[in-house]
Amino acid sequence: MEDIILNAQSLKSVIHCGAGAFATYATKLGGKLFIITDSNVYALYKGLIEKTFGNAPTFVLPAGEKSKSRNSLFKIFDKMIDCGVTRSSTVVALGGGVVGDIAGLAASMYMRGIKVVQIPTTLLAQVDSSVGGKTAIDYKGVKNVLGAFYQPSEVIVDPLFLSTLPARELRCGLGEIIKYSAIDCGIYGTLSQNSDKLFDLKFLENVTADCIRHKAKVVTEDERDTTGARKTLNLGHTTGHAFELYYKRKSHGEFVLIGTYYELYIAEKKGICESCYADSLRALITKVIKNIPAYADAEKAALMAKFDKKNDEQSIVSMIVPKSVGESYELKLPIAEYAKLIGECAEKIRGEKC
Ligand code: ADP
Ligand code: ZN
């Protein structure tokens, strides 16, 4: 077990990481607790929740992204008020990214902000969304459009929860982990030397701590995403988000992998990334998603990138692409050129499949 400190300007956050973290730290949470979880996690861990948190009030969201809504947020507030949650109470977010995002936002707003402890139960939430204080709900069809930066006082990351995670959810977490490998040379080394262990939970436990250490450092430097350091965490996300908006069927982590694969083509074409390094990243990606989709309308889908929050203007697309081991580069391209290159990449993948 290891404690990683995220020294944000707004709050110092402690991330307890490793096997046994839940048994050690969740039982020590003091004061009045208000638990927020989802229906899947509750069904699997009801016994553990009751044993650990006694009769603390528990709000169970229906599992799935649809729960990140105004409606659910206000249902949470109703229960918090009904249960007499006070300014000295603590919200405990026990679940994946959906639970973490909405519970974090509820905690940030309730009585102008009460403590929140994140206990992520998916690999994706462990390596990414539970750390860094981004909270949000979706509104009017726009993902994460209403939210706040609100640091958890503690994050408890325990591999205990990963044993029940479906393989697809592991793949989603691996999407973000491979992203880290493209911006952190230590993680790149670990993954490329152990690419046969990507689905091994013991191996993932150590890599998870590496990813959290990386993210904690970046967020400590750039808590509110203003200086550029935090931008690097968006590697692969420009195209990933564009495809996510257009095709919808896959989940975020899978689209991050597909987005990185397509952007590697652009980075190579533009002379930013060397071929052998691009090949080694592609090899990692295809360990997780064997068949990268050769989308027939990729060029059209890529135009969705104009809605990306990172762009200052809609005609220019900004993306963080791999450059060399441990180094990324912010590439800005006119949207038409970007979409054409994405179309070319799809064509190339089609050709390789024949
Ligand atoms: P994210 O991938 O952002 O963490 P979700 O919060 O939607 O997204 O979680 C993905 C799915 O995994 C949801 O259906 C959720 O209920 C389920 N889930 C979360 N934690 C576990 C777990 N430890 N075991 C099994 N399923 C889980
Ligand atoms: Zn992401």
Side-chain angles (χ1 to χ4, degrees):
M1 250 190 311
E2 171 187 358
D3 275 359
I4 298 169
I5 308 294
L6 193 161
N7 226 333
Q9 255 180 357
S10 65
L11 185 77
K12 181 173 154 184
S13 201
V14 184
I15 304 150
H16 311 291
C17 217
F22 183 81
T24 311
Y25 295 102
T27 46
K28 285 207 184 100
L29 296 175
K32 200 167 168 169
L33 305 178
F34 184 85
I35 319 297
I36 302 177
T37 188
D38 79 15
S39 49
N40 289 339
V41 177
Y42 192 65
L44 289 163
Y45 296 101
K46 185 169 185 281
L48 183 69
I49 293 171
E50 287 171 358
K51 192 174 129 212
T52 311
F53 303 116
N55 55 4
T58 302
F59 188 96
V60 183
L61 288 159
E65 182 76 21
K66 282 208 174 77
S67 280
K68 270 177 63 172
S69 64
R70 172 176 68 167
N71 201 10
S72 299
L73 183 68
F74 279 79
K75 280 190 182 155
I76 292 173
F77 290 145
D78 287 347
K79 182 151 179 166
M80 288 170 89
I81 291 169
D82 291 347
C83 294
V85 172
T86 67
R87 290 180 75 177
S88 59
S89 303
T90 299
V91 168
V92 177
L94 180 78
V98 166
V99 168
D101 278 5
I102 193 169
L105 184 60
S108 80
M109 292 172 75
Y110 190 80
M111 295 188 170
R112 301 198 182 89
I114 65 172
K115 252 166 72 168
V116 60
V117 173
Q118 294 280 353
I119 309 183
T121 61
T122 63
L123 183 62
L124 188 116
Q126 293 194 345
V127 295
D128 191 33
S129 54
S130 68
V131 175
K134 281 191 178 173
T135 71
I137 56 167
D138 308 333
Y139 185 58
K140 282 194 176 282
V142 187
K143 229 183 141 187
N144 295 334
V145 69
L146 302 179
F149 286 99
Y150 196 68
Q151 296 297 339
S153 53
E154 287 173 68
V155 185
I156 300 173
V157 178
D158 195 319
L160 138 85
F161 298 103
L162 302 187
S163 58
T164 52
L165 211 57
R168 180 166 186 206
E169 297 301 333
L170 270 187
R171 272 209 299 280
C172 292
L174 278 162
E176 296 288 350
I177 290 176
I178 289 174
K179 170 202 81 180
Y180 281 107
S181 81
I183 48 179
D184 182 307
C185 48
I187 298 173
Y188 172 76
T190 308
L191 292 197
S192 39
Q193 281 155 32
N194 298 280
S195 62
D196 53 329
K197 292 200 190 119
L198 291 183
F199 288 87
D200 173 333
L201 293 186
K202 192 69 211 153
F203 172 72
L204 286 175
E205 184 183 333
N206 295 324
V207 179
T208 295
D210 295 339
C211 295
I212 293 173
R213 232 178 281 114
H214 182 103
K215 185 157 186 188
K217 187 167 166 283
V218 169
V219 176
T220 297
E221 258 177 62
D222 182 19
E223 182 180 10
R224 290 183 164 254
D225 219 344
T226 48
T227 69
R230 205 166 172 161
K231 252 190 189 176
T232 58
L233 297 171
N234 285 322
L235 186 138
H237 280 62
T238 298
T239 306
H241 278 152
F243 286 174
E244 203 170 342
L245 281 173
Y246 191 84
Y247 296 110
K248 296 192 172 80
R249 275 190 306 276
K250 289 191 168 36
S251 53
H252 177 74
E254 294 170 303
F255 278 123
V256 169
L257 285 174
I258 298 168
T260 307
Y261 192 98
Y262 273 77
E263 288 180 10
L264 273 168
Y265 175 83
I266 298 180
E268 253 188 292
K269 262 267 148 123
K270 288 287 186 186
I272 295 161
C273 185
E274 275 183 21
S275 295
C276 60
Y277 178 53
D279 283 343
S280 72
L281 288 176
R282 273 191 286 264
L284 279 176
I285 293 170
T286 50
K287 285 262 174 194
V288 182
I289 297 188
K290 284 202 173 49
N291 287 307
I292 298 293
Y295 293 122
D297 43 2
E299 195 165 335
K300 203 168 150 209
L303 293 175
M304 299 303 269
K306 65 172 168 249
F307 300 114
D308 199 289
K309 288 197 282 291
K310 292 190 295 302
N311 302 331
D312 300 324
E313 42 182 317
Q314 287 203 336
S315 56
I316 302 287
V317 176
S318 153
M319 73 202 100
I320 309 292
V321 295
K323 186 175 175 196
S324 57
V325 178
E327 223 189 321
S328 58
Y329 178 82
E330 183 177 8
L331 174 65
K332 293 188 178 189
L333 287 180
I335 185 130
E337 183 185 0
Y338 161 74
K340 186 169 162 280
L341 287 166
I342 291 291
E344 268 179 42
C345 178
E347 189 71 51
K348 184 164 183 271
I349 302 171
R350 251 190 309 281
E352 284 161 358
K353 279 184 179 163
C354 296

